Amino acid sequence: MKQICLQSRPVGLPNAETFEIKDVKLGGLHSGELHVKLVFLSVDPYLRGRMNDTKSYIPPFRLGSPITSSAVCKVIRSEARDFAPGDMVLAQVPWQEEVIVDSKKVQKVDTTIASAPAYLGVVGMTGLTAYFGLLEIGKPRKGETVVVSAAAGAVGSAVGQIAQIKGAYVVGIAGTDEKVNYLVKELGFNAALNYNDPDFPKKLKKACSKGVDIYFENVGGTISDAVWPLLNKNARIPVCGAISSYNIKPEEDMGPRVQTYLIKSSAMMQGFTVGNFQDEFPEGTRQLVKWLDEGKLTHKETIVEGFDEIIPAFLSLFDGKNIGKIVVKLD
Amino acid sequence: MKQICLQSRPVGLPNAETFEIKDVKLGGLHSGELHVKLVFLSVDPYLRGRMNDTKSYIPPFRLGSPITSSAVCKVIRSEARDFAPGDMVLAQVPWQEEVIVDSKKVQKVDTTIASAPAYLGVVGMTGLTAYFGLLEIGKPRKGETVVVSAAAGAVGSAVGQIAQIKGAYVVGIAGTDEKVNYLVKELGFNAALNYNDPDFPKKLKKACSKGVDIYFENVGGTISDAVWPLLNKNARIPVCGAISSYNIKPEEDMGPRVQTYLIKSSAMMQGFTVGNFQDEFPEGTRQLVKWLDEGKLTHKETIVEGFDEIIPAFLSLFDGKNIGKIVVKLD
């Protein structure tokens, strides 16, 4: 069975040398374990960080060891009391077609409530990231202006919709006109802007005529640099991601220092990862599912098919072309 | 009577062209007003920001209008019930020797509790800035590592001492060996470093062997850039000042972007000004006076004498040579 491993730590964008395909055999199935087949695999920007050998909130991948991420899997064989073949489970798995997992580390999913890919997106980790980052750090109030970058992405599209539910004026930033149209016409954002427009900073200022109360940060770089001068008094900046810096060296990620902007507006930046809110996951999931049911939250996935598409799907995270959550279908 | 006004908005360091000395006459003394003589005048880094024509937490000084700052003044004549000649009051005043003030906008000070200059420093605005920034935003816990920049300055020296009272491990950053000695030998900091040492980043890392839990930001620039890689999980960064950027153009204040550092450590940066905590001033002042009485808080002022020393004293804020609060004695 093929397994995708980390062959070398990438400098810049990962490429063919980054990965190594190994042949592995499944071990025996012991008590408490499940033999599962990956059905939908999540590829996520944060995995890029784990390819570097630097201290972070999550340990780096080891050279020669498999890349792992979240997947919705189907149980083939079960040695665990509460699971039966055919059950669908959410698990953290290596990138290979089938795998033995500890049943204590997986979570059953009910695909009658939300679709299997939605468990990797809007009602899964990315939805929770949007939910807690926006509500617990951003704390939007009715009528405030919320700006979100990578707004057509998995996290950003949820952030914008939740901000609308809370009565905020929502401005999305994305990289193509197609995405900008999607944000305004399909998701009902109040405004959306293409950051490739040479007049982007000027247009952002115009779109945020009352200034920026919350900036949900997904991208970093020059896009965010354009937001700092617009911050209102007591602005909040949940810092979720900085995808523009993931494939460059730290010494290349230079921009205007933020201190004077933060002082002028008594603004707050808070870095976070969804794991910080683990105790509140059940409540968050319940609310996201409710909004989904009520039609207040819509979602879109970009789904590609086949094991050989895993690496291209991962790399496509960094080309800025996809809309919504990117999922690889393996069934 | 001489009055110091803003003649032109400085680009870079203020100079002779920035200021204009006008001759003014005192108006009549109306009911509720006091005629006061400035005794000790405070010069503060934040005044530099008010010389720019940019939106901030406090309006810019107007061209041709006087520079104003805090002063301890002696009442010469009173048309207000609760004030008598000889009373000492704290007031926001134009830079001139005598002035008419509204008695509702001044605060009596008792110089038997703390010295007059201390009301401009350790038990005044700068002490309160340290107190609220450190305790309400930084929230130090016993055994945590607190790093403070401009540590021998008015705010920094109070921050370090309050952090010690709270049981933190305190590392100060300053710009001369004399200051470093002062911090360790007179204020009892656990460690202090001279940022002009070419090995400063390496030595800072060594001094903070358990990482940095709180960084109290007073300076910005490359000094702070060296702190970001050392942040611990859930680090807090009260952003009080960024003196290194006050005399350069925004486009020159470039450095490593902070987003990835904040994400890795779930760290928080909060810009603030002491005015945000106005409702709590009485409590803060009471606590600072208590610590002063108990000998837990010491303070040092650099005092210069004479009206003609006001501008040089203000400019000296930016040359990094003074220790403690800088005050001009005018009596």
Side-chain angles (χ1 to χ4, degrees), chain A residues 56-57 217 220-221 225 228 233 239 241 245 253-257 259-260 262-264 266-271 276, chain B residues 56-57 217 221 225 228 233 239 241 245 253-257 259-260 262-264 266-271 276:
Chain A
S56 189
Y57 61 94
E217 169 69 294
D225 298 344
W228 310 145
K233 171 108 183 166
V239 185
S245 69
D253 192 19
M254 303 286 271
R257 293 193 181 91
Q259 287 96 319
T260 50
L262 298 183
I263 296 168
K264 278 182 189 178
S266 290
M268 189 271 288
M269 287 179 96
Q270 167 82 63
N276 301 356
Chain B
S56 188
Y57 60 93
E217 170 69 293
D225 298 344
W228 311 144
K233 170 110 183 163
V239 184
S245 69
D253 191 18
M254 302 285 274
R257 293 193 182 92
Q259 287 96 319
T260 51
L262 298 183
I263 296 168
K264 279 182 187 176
S266 290
M268 189 271 287
M269 288 179 97
Q270 168 83 61
N276 301 356

Side-chain angles (χ1 to χ4, degrees), chain A residues 134 138-141 144-147 212-216 235-236 238:
Chain A
L134 180 67
K139 299 191 171 80
R141 284 183 292 258
E144 285 192 323
T145 298
V146 174
V147 174
V212 175
D213 299 296
I214 297 176
Y215 174 52
F216 194 102
R236 290 84 69 196

